[in-house]
Amino acid sequence: LITRAAARIMDRMLLNYIPRVVNRVEVKMDETMQLMIRRLVSATIYLIGMMLVILQVPQLHSLATAMLAGAGIAGLAIGYAAKDSLSNFTSGIFIAVFQPFRVGDLVDFRNDHGQVEDLTLRHTVIRTSDNRRIIVPNSIMSMEPIINWSIREPEVVWTVDFDLEK
C-alpha cells in the first residue's frame, strides 16, 4: 500500500513539475517523453517497494536467495519466451527517444489515418477519424512505414493537376 501511494504521489509530482523544470532549463521535451518518464519512474518505485518487502520478511531471505540462484537460467527461458514483449518494450523506448511520432501527431498507418492518442512501452494507440482505436504493438510500429503528417509543420503541400482542355 505504501509503494502504491508513493508511486501515485511521484506520478502527480512529475505531472506537475516536469513542465516547470523543462521550461526553466529550456529543454525540448514533449508530452510523449514526459509520459514515458512518468511510467518508468512508477515501475522503478514498484520494483524498489517489492525489494523492500523481501528485505523486511526474514522468511523471504532464503527464498530470494534461491530465486536469484535460478535467475540466470530462468532469465534465458523467460527472455526467449517473452521475446515479442521485450521487442515491444525496446521499440517503445526507441520511439520515445527518437520520436518518429509523438502523442497528438496525425499519422497514416496501414491505410488508416488517425491521431496518436497514447504511447506506452508496449503499444501505440491511434484514434481514427471515425473514433476507432487502433492498438498496434510498438515492434510493428517501428518496423512498418508510417506517414507522419505533423512531424515538422502542420501545413501540407499537395500537388493538384488540372486538365484545361476545351
Side-chain angles (χ1 to χ4, degrees):
L1 293 174
I2 293 171
T3 302
R4 190 175 196 187
R8 284 186 180 173
I9 289 170
M10 184 59 77
D11 187 55
R12 287 186 188 135
M13 285 175 53
L14 289 173
L15 182 65
N16 292 328
Y17 292 117
I18 285 178
R20 292 181 191 172
V21 171
V22 167
N23 289 336
R24 284 186 188 161
V25 250
E26 298 177 6
V27 175
K28 185 179 178 183
M29 184 183 292
D30 63 348
E31 181 183 343
T32 304
M33 186 63 81
Q34 293 175 16
L35 184 64
M36 200 62 67
I37 289 171
R38 287 177 39 217
R39 288 184 176 155
L40 284 173
V41 168
S42 180
T44 304
I45 289 172
Y46 278 108
L47 183 65
I48 291 170
M50 188 173 69
M51 289 185 340
L52 288 174
V53 167
I54 289 173
L55 289 175
Q56 295 300 317
V57 180
Q59 291 84 4
L60 293 179
H61 285 278
S62 60
L63 176 65
T65 304
M67 287 175 56
L68 286 175
I73 296 171
L76 288 173
I78 291 171
Y80 184 73
K83 64 183 174 189
D84 292 335
S85 296
L86 293 173
S87 174
N88 289 330
F89 178 78
T90 305
S91 297
I93 291 175
F94 284 144
I95 289 170
V97 170
F98 296 113
Q99 297 183 343
F101 54 88
R102 298 172 299 260
V103 172
D105 281 357
L106 297 172
V107 296
D108 281 343
F109 176 74
R110 291 186 176 172
N111 297 324
D112 281 314
H113 181 75
Q115 184 175 25
V116 177
E117 190 173 73
D118 192 15
L119 175 64
T120 68
L121 289 175
R122 186 190 163 290
H123 62 269
T124 300
V125 179
I126 301 171
R127 181 178 42 87
T128 62
S129 57
D130 56 352
N131 281 333
R132 288 181 298 133
R133 301 297 192 279
I134 302 171
I135 301 170
V136 186
N138 285 334
S139 61
I140 293 174
M141 289 297 287
S142 65
M143 299 281 290
E144 295 275 332
I146 298 167
I147 299 173
N148 188 339
W149 293 103
S150 53
I151 195 165
R152 296 281 181 211
E153 299 90 18
E155 297 86 19
V156 176
V157 177
W158 287 90
T159 304
V160 179
D161 295 327
F162 290 102
D163 188 15
L164 298 176
E165 293 183 26
K166 274 198 161 189

